[in-house]
Amino acid sequence: MRAIIKTKPAAGVELAGNFPEPDIPADHVLVKVAATSICGTDAHLYTWDKSAQGFGATFPFVMGHECAGSVVSVGANVTRLHAGDRVAAESHIFCGACYMCRTGNAHNCYEMKLLGITWPGGFAEYVALPERVCFPLPANLPIEVGALFEPSGNAVHAIQRAGNIDGCSVLVTGGGPIGLVIVQLAYCLGATSVVVLEPNPFRRKLAEARGARAFDPLAPGFDIDGIVRKDYARHGGFDLGFEVSAAPGTLETLLRALRREATIVCVGLPSEPVPIDITAYIAKKMIVLKGIFGRRIWDSWEMLLAMVESGRLDLSGMITHRLGLEEFDRGIELLKGPSAKVIISPN
Ligand SMILES: [Zn+2]
Ligand SMILES: [Zn+2]
């Protein structure tokens, strides 16, 4: 089969024309991939920077972790899925047996494998998935929207982790796809105002189209303290923060711009440790720092599906490009410019 392969610890990928199709063990299904979206993580894997090296991948591996498609065959022990079913993949392949899995916390499995990094991924004509990580999709849901459930589920998890949003002002650092879904969900759940800090002008436009005020944090004269003094002084700052960019300095911006006893949810994965003034922010200001990695299984997925099916959350508007496997390098390049989600169709 054709597949995007990372063959060595260096920049770039290869398009294999004749990669072996995956075996399907008894509890797995074979999925013919219809759509796999490119993630910021794929750009890190592509360039093989420090954050990519931290995942523990071994070579060669098939990339792609945001995928959806149709089941074509099932292993002998598969009971729930059948050929023809449409599914999206939970990319965090949990073991089902460790302490965290057995206590209802499979999203934090100790033995977790990562689709498209430490498990053969979905930038390929076929992917083999354990039945337990397949999320069945309704027949009327566009399959490329199904591929967006994995990244969008991170936004849902961040919102779930934040707690009550009703009546809150929200500051989001990073207006990429996950940040944009956080904007939509925050308004759905009662946020009074959302501000997004994002250097990419195209993504600022998308944030504004979703009702947020968007600023370029790298522009000369950008002054978060001034914004707080002008519009958020009554509470002493924003009520809630989401760090989605992993860019240097953004956590400090949030810690400064949020009011006392506010909550910050960290979604981005900085490649270096981030220093924090514990005295000023955690002790005296009593800010609560939380983080998420991936989605709650399956709470985040079910909430996301309900929001999409009700029409309150639109994901399709985030798709800006559709490419074939052979255009993968261009897809990575597109992430730097006027784009949100780039969909690869391997078949
Ligand atoms: Zn991703
Ligand atoms: Zn586990």
Side-chain angles (χ1 to χ4, degrees):
M1 64 174 183
R2 300 196 317 145
I4 296 294
I5 314 287
K6 190 87 189 164
T7 55
K8 53 181 186 293
V13 293
E14 284 174 30
L15 171 59
N18 204 7
F19 200 75
E21 275 181 31
D23 295 328
I24 43 168
D27 62 345
H28 283 45
V29 301
L30 187 67
V31 173
K32 184 174 183 182
V33 181
T36 305
S37 55
I38 302 183
C39 172
T41 300
D42 295 316
H44 289 291
L45 293 167
Y46 187 92
T47 51
W48 202 248
D49 61 14
K50 198 169 169 188
S51 78
Q53 293 164 27
F55 286 118
T58 55
F59 300 91
F61 67 92
V62 182
M63 284 175 55
H65 59 272
E66 304 178 352
C67 61
S70 299
V71 173
V72 287
S73 59
V74 304
N77 296 345
V78 168
T79 54
R80 187 169 51 88
L81 292 174
H82 304 93
D85 289 349
R86 301 156 86 247
V87 297
E90 167 52 64
S91 67
H92 288 186
I93 299 173
F94 55 94
C95 76
C98 75
Y99 175 81
M100 295 307 285
C101 284
R102 284 185 291 105
T103 53
N105 299 289
H107 60 279
N108 235 333
C109 170
Y110 284 117
E111 304 294 329
M112 187 190 294
K113 297 273 188 282
L114 301 173
L115 185 67
I117 305 177
T118 56
W119 187 283
F123 289 128
E125 289 177 71
Y126 296 94
V127 63
L129 298 167
E131 181 184 30
R132 67 180 181 279
V133 302
C134 293
F135 184 76
L137 297 170
N140 60 354
L141 189 91
I143 199 74
E144 57 187 19
V145 171
L148 299 186
F149 268 40
E150 196 263 15
S152 306
N154 290 315
V156 174
H157 190 182
I159 289 277
Q160 290 172 322
R161 192 104 163 99
N164 180 44
I165 296 184
D166 229 356
C168 287
S169 57
V170 177
L171 178 59
V172 182
T173 50
I178 294 174
L180 293 171
V181 176
I182 287 175
V183 171
Q184 286 191 66
L185 287 171
Y187 278 125
C188 285
L189 298 174
T192 51
S193 74
V194 182
V195 167
V196 173
L197 306 185
E198 167 60 52
N200 181 324
F202 182 82
R203 291 180 169 187
R204 283 203 303 277
K205 284 265 180 297
L206 292 179
E208 286 165 354
R210 285 155 179 77
R213 285 199 296 157
F215 297 91
D216 178 358
L218 306 180
F222 170 75
D223 174 21
I224 190 67
D225 302 322
I227 293 169
V228 169
R229 272 197 308 275
K230 181 167 174 289
D231 297 318
Y232 300 95
R234 187 182 180 87
H235 289 200
F238 291 87
D239 299 306
L240 189 56
F242 293 92
E243 204 307 291
V244 198
S245 72
T250 50
L251 185 60
E252 174 72 21
T253 300
L254 285 163
L255 289 163
R256 278 229 317 276
L258 263 59
R259 66 160 167 81
R260 288 178 178 262
E261 303 197 28
T263 294
I264 298 173
V265 180
C266 295
V267 182
L269 305 175
S271 54
E272 302 283 345
V274 176
I276 297 174
D277 185 339
I278 298 282
T279 305
Y281 299 127
I282 307 300
K284 290 184 175 171
K285 207 169 169 181
M286 292 173 67
I287 299 259
V288 179
L289 267 185
K290 298 181 177 180
I292 65 124
F293 182 52
R295 302 133 299 280
R296 285 194 63 87
I297 304 166
W298 295 96
D299 329 25
S300 301
W301 289 82
E302 290 294 349
M303 179 174 163
L304 178 61
L305 178 61
M307 296 300 276
V308 169
E309 284 202 302
S310 70
R312 296 183 74 195
L313 177 65
D314 169 61
L315 299 180
S316 58
M318 281 202 308
I319 300 171
T320 54
H321 299 82
R322 295 172 176 83
L323 305 174
L325 265 188
E326 66 287 351
E327 298 171 287
F328 185 81
D329 300 80
R330 193 179 145 231
I332 293 285
E333 200 53 40
L334 282 168
L335 293 192
K336 297 172 194 158
S339 72
K341 268 308 192 191
V342 178
I343 298 274
I344 300 279
S345 305
N347 281 287

